[in-house]
Amino acid sequence: MRSHSYDDVLSGPRKRKVAEVPAEPGLVLEDPGSGFCGALIRIEYGNAVLEDARGRHRVFPLGPAAFLLEGKPVTLVPVRRSAPAVPSVSASGSVRVAGVKARTARDSRIWVEGKHDAELVERVWGHDLRVEGVVVEPLDGVDELAERIADFGTGPGRRLGVLVDHLVRGSKESRIVDSIRDGNVLVTGHPYVDIWQAVKPASVGISAWPSVPRGVEWKEGICGALGWGEPYEGWQRVLAGVSSFRDLETPLIGAVERLIDFVTVTDD
């Protein structure tokens, strides 16, 4: 019968398993070769950056048992992060439909006055529009709205929803809209001079939208009053301030929601 000691000699020395430790910033580690001791700042390019009590930084390569933690050798491993939670609602406040591919575009459309209007609608209602297969197209103004509608050719399953700026009684826009007589067309709008003004001032870091004197182009007047540079630079500030429907004024929200309902309700 063989002794335990004989077995141990034949098998050789047993290797100790080195603990694997997530590389969390703040771990106090020691490099056994140099004796440098410091807190882990970050992992970069396969190295660990340590900072000692004097604020000095040293870079050490990662590897098995490369550091001491509380006097014991450890192997640093990447921190496992859980996947970020997918929001349950979209930017418009609707229930987010997960894992659904964009639907083939419907024949029905939503028209808006310009590029900024289209970008803002996409920012807030983009998820809803892709699920429903609704395309938003800029018109570059509504002066020729009646002609554009005639060229489009509305009918069953081919509806138009139109979003109009400054739709108030007595305005040029209201007179154009009043001339439209087509059951397959719905025109809604908001009272603001421009779509910018439908964004809540607090969302773009101002107390109120400035008044622009008559004869001054509105966007240029706004940018001049706020020191925002050119209109294209100002628009980037405005769009960056919008993350959901909560950043928009109620009249615009209601107007867009009505258009989406109109162009999708009987178009399945």
Side-chain angles (χ1 to χ4, degrees):
M1 179 173 159
R2 292 181 297 176
S3 68
H4 291 292
S5 59
Y6 186 64
D7 283 339
D8 291 342
V9 170
L10 290 178
S11 61
R14 295 179 180 175
K15 293 183 179 180
R16 289 186 301 168
K17 186 176 180 181
V18 177
E20 294 185 343
V21 176
E24 294 280 4
L27 282 177
V28 178
L29 304 167
E30 180 182 347
D31 171 54
S34 65
F36 185 90
C37 185
L40 177 64
I41 301 301
R42 62 184 177 274
I43 299 294
E44 60 180 17
Y45 308 116
N47 298 302
V49 181
L50 304 185
E51 181 184 59
D52 69 6
R54 298 183 181 180
R56 296 177 299 180
H57 286 195
R58 291 278 297 277
V59 179
F60 300 96
L62 297 173
F67 300 96
L68 299 178
L69 176 63
E70 298 180 352
K72 297 179 180 179
V74 295
T75 300
L76 294 183
V77 296
V79 179
R80 293 181 180 177
R81 304 291 187 192
S82 57
V86 177
S88 59
V89 296
S90 69
S92 69
S94 65
V95 176
R96 180 177 289 276
V97 182
V100 175
K101 294 182 180 180
R103 170 178 170 155
T104 301
R106 297 172 184 263
D107 289 335
S108 297
R109 294 286 187 270
I110 290 178
W111 287 352
V112 296
E113 287 208 42
K115 177 173 178 285
H116 293 176
D117 307 68
E119 289 179 348
L120 188 60
V121 170
E122 165 63 26
R123 183 82 157 202
V124 176
W125 287 275
H127 173 76
D128 309 60
L129 295 169
R130 283 185 288 277
V131 170
E132 296 290 350
V134 177
V135 175
V136 175
E137 299 174 341
L139 284 173
D140 194 24
V142 293
D143 289 352
E144 299 178 358
L145 181 59
E147 292 85 346
R148 294 290 299 272
I149 292 173
D151 291 341
F152 180 79
T154 59
R158 190 169 172 80
R159 290 182 159 196
L160 279 175
V162 186
L163 179 68
V164 177
D165 297 341
H166 198 222
L167 191 57
V168 295
R169 185 180 297 275
S171 68
K172 176 192 72 173
E173 291 82 1
S174 69
R175 291 191 293 273
I176 292 172
V177 170
D178 288 344
S179 69
I180 304 300
R181 299 283 188 274
D182 188 327
N184 292 304
V185 178
L186 174 66
V187 182
T188 67
H190 56 78
Y192 310 108
V193 175
D194 192 276
I195 196 74
W196 292 25
Q197 207 175 15
V199 177
K200 292 180 179 178
S203 296
V204 294
I206 60 177
S207 58
W209 288 103
S211 297
V212 177
R214 285 184 175 273
V216 177
E217 199 280 328
W218 193 85
K219 293 186 180 74
E220 291 182 359
I222 289 295
C223 290
L226 296 174
W228 282 358
E230 297 297 322
Y232 76 89
E233 297 172 297
W235 173 240
Q236 294 306 312
R237 287 175 176 262
V238 175
L239 192 60
V242 177
S243 60
S244 78
F245 72 97
R246 294 180 179 86
D247 296 304
L248 304 179
E249 301 288 1
T250 302
L252 176 62
I253 297 171
V256 175
E257 295 283 355
R258 288 176 61 202
L259 294 180
I260 294 174
D261 288 345
F262 179 77
V263 299
T264 60
V265 68
T266 61
D267 197 1
D268 291 318

